[in-house]
Amino acid sequence: MNQQGILFLCATPIGNLEDITLRVLRILREVDLIAAEDTRHTRKLLAHYDIHTPMVSYREHNRRQMGRHLLNLLAAGLKVALVSDAGMPGISDPGEELVSLAIGRGIPVVPLPGPNAALTALVASGLPTSSFCFEGFLPTAAGARRRKLEELKGERRTIIFYEAPHRLLESLSDMVDIWGERQIAVARELTKKYEEIWRGTLPQAVEHFRLQSPRGEFTLVVAGAREGEVSDTRDESWLGLSLKEHVALLQARGMDKKEAIREVARQRGIPRREVYNQVVRDSGANS
Ligand code: SAM
């Protein structure tokens, strides 16, 4: 066989079977083999679209052995489509390692975009989308989860998590303890019959999901830290100082007055004009 092997990364629906691109359907028909996270699950999708391509299982527990086998087939010139149970393979799903090994062996990797729970939840959250980070699943052990949330306390970007229904309340409660009052969008069963996007503050979310026990698949989109919160976690030496003293402190550390006013406003999360007015007014009164 002298044709070139190709690894196609195919996005599949996260619920609604209509959310699949024409190109993904064509590639799933044309490839020699589909490597699926769960062949029983993917068989339903293939049956719906009358696709009869052979499948093998490529999942977390056989990824070493099956990964080697797939690489050999790719190196021999086969075309292989990788799919997960839902959404983009490689995103909180198997795929990352196979892609990296294929690149290492000089095998072309072709991504076919499509559904993804994180981005679908983000765009409907109402929270800033210009800058965000994806954290996947929080650790399941309470201590590790709280440490992770502490680590993210100063994160300014919108933060996206996947969460299992039986851990939702614990995670939300830890977020309230560590992050306090922030906006959150809880996206449940996206693209499915019981799709719901709940929006409110973290404490309200705890109250809501205490009363309505969480069922289905959840993606959480949480507002990043506000400016004041970030500075609190980095430099608290100004706490207790007046605005004027705070500006003076930064000037003593080498900033000119304009820079110091800007930085005071940033650290306290207040308008620059407020700092400026107070500092200028005070110096006017002294002169
Ligand atoms: N690869 C997938 C993707 O691109 O979105 C994610 C796979 S990850 C193993 C599965 C998690 O994604 C679920 O536990 C849930 O947190 C989230 N998820 C998947 N489908 C969802 C849906 N329809 N609505 C909300 N969240 C969903």
Side-chain angles (χ1 to χ4, degrees), residues 22-163:
L22 296 173
R23 186 172 169 225
V24 167
L25 290 176
R26 178 175 59 79
I27 292 297
L28 291 179
R29 274 197 188 95
E30 288 177 2
V31 289
D32 301 294
L33 190 65
I34 297 173
E37 186 183 4
D38 180 344
T39 52
R40 277 174 309 175
H41 183 95
T42 301
R43 190 158 288 124
K44 290 183 201 147
L45 177 73
L46 299 189
H48 186 82
Y49 287 104
D50 200 21
I51 295 171
H52 302 280
T53 308
M55 266 195 290
V56 292
S57 152
Y58 174 73
R59 56 202 315 165
E60 189 50 35
H61 78 260
N62 74 354
R63 73 190 152 78
R64 288 258 152 75
Q65 189 195 358
M66 183 50 78
R68 272 197 301 275
H69 178 59
L70 290 171
L71 283 176
N72 289 338
L73 296 178
L74 287 160
L78 260 67
K79 296 194 167 36
V80 177
L82 178 67
V83 300
S84 65
D85 287 353
M88 290 297 295
I91 302 296
S92 296
D93 268 339
E96 178 183 332
E97 188 176 280
L98 185 63
V99 169
S100 146
L101 292 171
I103 293 168
R105 296 270 290 263
I107 295 161
V109 174
V110 177
L112 278 69
N116 164 255
L119 290 181
T120 308
L122 173 69
V123 293
S125 67
L127 295 169
T129 59
S130 54
S131 178
F132 62 88
C133 63
F134 171 67
E135 284 291 328
F137 289 94
L138 279 165
T140 52
R145 183 173 59 238
R146 290 178 71 87
R147 275 196 297 283
K148 183 75 197 174
L149 292 173
E150 287 285 358
E151 207 179 280
L152 289 168
K153 192 173 180 182
E155 177 57 65
R156 299 278 301 278
R157 295 170 294 180
T158 301
I159 312 167
I160 309 173
F161 298 99
Y162 288 155
E163 193 49 283

Side-chain angles (χ1 to χ4, degrees), residues 231-243:
S231 59
D232 285 352
T233 64
R234 286 181 184 164
D235 175 9
E236 295 187 335
S237 58
W238 54 270
L239 289 177
L241 298 182
S242 69
L243 287 177

